[in-house]
Amino acid sequence: DAGVTQSPTHLIKTRGQQVTLRCSPKSGHDTVSWYQQALGQGPQFIFQYYEEEERQRGNFPDRFSGHQFPNYSSELNVNALLLGDSALYLCASSLAGTVGWGYTFGSGTRLTVV
Amino acid sequence: DAKTTQPNSMESNEEEPVHLPCNHSTISGTDYIHWYRQLPSQGPEYVIHGLTSNVNNRMASLAIAEDRKSSTLILHRATLRDAAVYYCILNNAGNMLTFGGGTRLMVKP
């Protein structure tokens, strides 16, 4: 049973560019959350998608946007990249209504902005 | 979500028990206590969770203080594969997980 799949695994972008990261949730899961993890820190919540709508959002600017598709997969888009956006971006899937133990994380996409 | 406090790092010898503490003095009655760990170059993975009673699973045990203001994750026999950052998280809404800095566990052979 495949877990959460994220692509690409690594990415290098130039400041000012736009990037799209992709996530396929674990089979049976319908909710996708995105986290940003800077080096040496814990993951920070960006937003969560359920039923193709953003349900909850963390303290991130509008440059960060997302989408969820009918098959529950999701994309994270970041516009006007800044050097500070360099981080590991993690996708977590869960089943709606599951409290915090039900999250499955992918291995992440390492984004480097130069 | 209420805040948790964990030591930045801990060391253990291989095959010895490890007790990872977590303080959560502002925990509410409906907050579950979750533990996740993050191995190098991987995303976090679920370890264990509890509400009031001590819990055991194949990975670890969770001991919860009677007043619920602290808890301890117990690894009964640490292996080199257990070297990771361990996060103690309070959650009651099933939405976002609020990660702190966690405890970096180093296991010596």
Side-chain angles (χ1 to χ4, degrees):
Chain A
D1 176 28
V4 175
T5 304
Q6 292 188 243
S7 64
T9 55
H10 295 83
L11 200 53
I12 300 175
K13 287 287 189 178
T14 303
R15 189 172 44 183
Q17 285 189 315
Q18 179 263 344
V19 68
T20 297
L21 309 181
R22 295 176 175 82
C23 172
S24 293
K26 179 180 177 179
S27 177
H29 285 182
D30 57 9
T31 301
V32 173
S33 304
W34 287 92
Y35 290 78
Q36 179 194 67
Q37 186 173 26
L39 205 59
Q41 297 182 21
Q44 301 298 306
F45 175 76
I46 302 174
F47 42 54
Q48 182 182 77
Y49 275 83
Y50 170 65
E51 291 186 330
E52 302 179 48
E53 290 188 13
E54 183 182 296
R55 298 293 178 170
Q56 193 173 9
R57 189 179 184 93
N59 189 25
F60 279 81
D62 292 344
R63 298 187 298 108
F64 289 78
S65 63
H67 189 78
Q68 186 180 35
F69 299 95
N71 67 353
Y72 308 120
S73 66
S74 177
E75 289 181 349
L76 164 65
N77 301 293
V78 187
N79 294 322
L81 284 167
L82 303 173
L83 296 179
D85 295 330
S86 296
L88 180 67
Y89 288 85
L90 295 162
C91 171
S93 72
S94 58
L95 186 62
T98 304
V99 191
W101 60 80
Y103 288 74
T104 301
F105 283 82
S107 294
T109 294
R110 172 72 61 188
L111 172 65
T112 302
V113 182
V114 297
Chain B
D1 291 324
K3 184 179 170 59
T4 63
T5 303
Q6 300 177 253
N8 289 334
S9 64
M10 291 184 64
E11 263 190 13
S12 171
N13 293 318
E14 195 175 12
E15 298 190 3
E16 290 186 356
V18 182
H19 291 230
L20 298 166
C22 180
N23 288 319
H24 29 78
S25 58
T26 60
I27 190 171
S28 74
T30 55
D31 279 334
Y32 283 82
I33 302 160
H34 304 89
W35 284 82
Y36 278 73
R37 71 178 185 180
Q38 188 170 20
L39 302 172
S41 302
Q42 294 187 28
E45 66 172 345
Y46 165 78
V47 177
I48 200 168
H49 77 278
L51 184 61
T52 56
S53 304
N54 295 344
V55 185
N56 300 294
N57 67 19
R58 64 174 181 83
M59 289 181 71
S61 296
L62 177 60
I64 302 172
E66 196 168 334
D67 63 5
R68 301 208 328 123
K69 294 186 176 182
S70 66
S71 61
T72 303
L73 178 70
I74 303 165
L75 307 179
H76 296 286
R77 286 180 71 245
T79 69
L80 297 179
R81 280 203 68 252
D82 291 322
V85 178
Y86 287 78
Y87 296 99
C88 171
I89 301 166
L90 303 183
N91 179 275
N92 64 9
N95 295 319
M96 66 177 184
L97 297 177
T98 302
F99 289 82
T103 297
R104 180 172 299 279
L105 175 65
M106 293 166 280
V107 181
K108 297 182 292 184

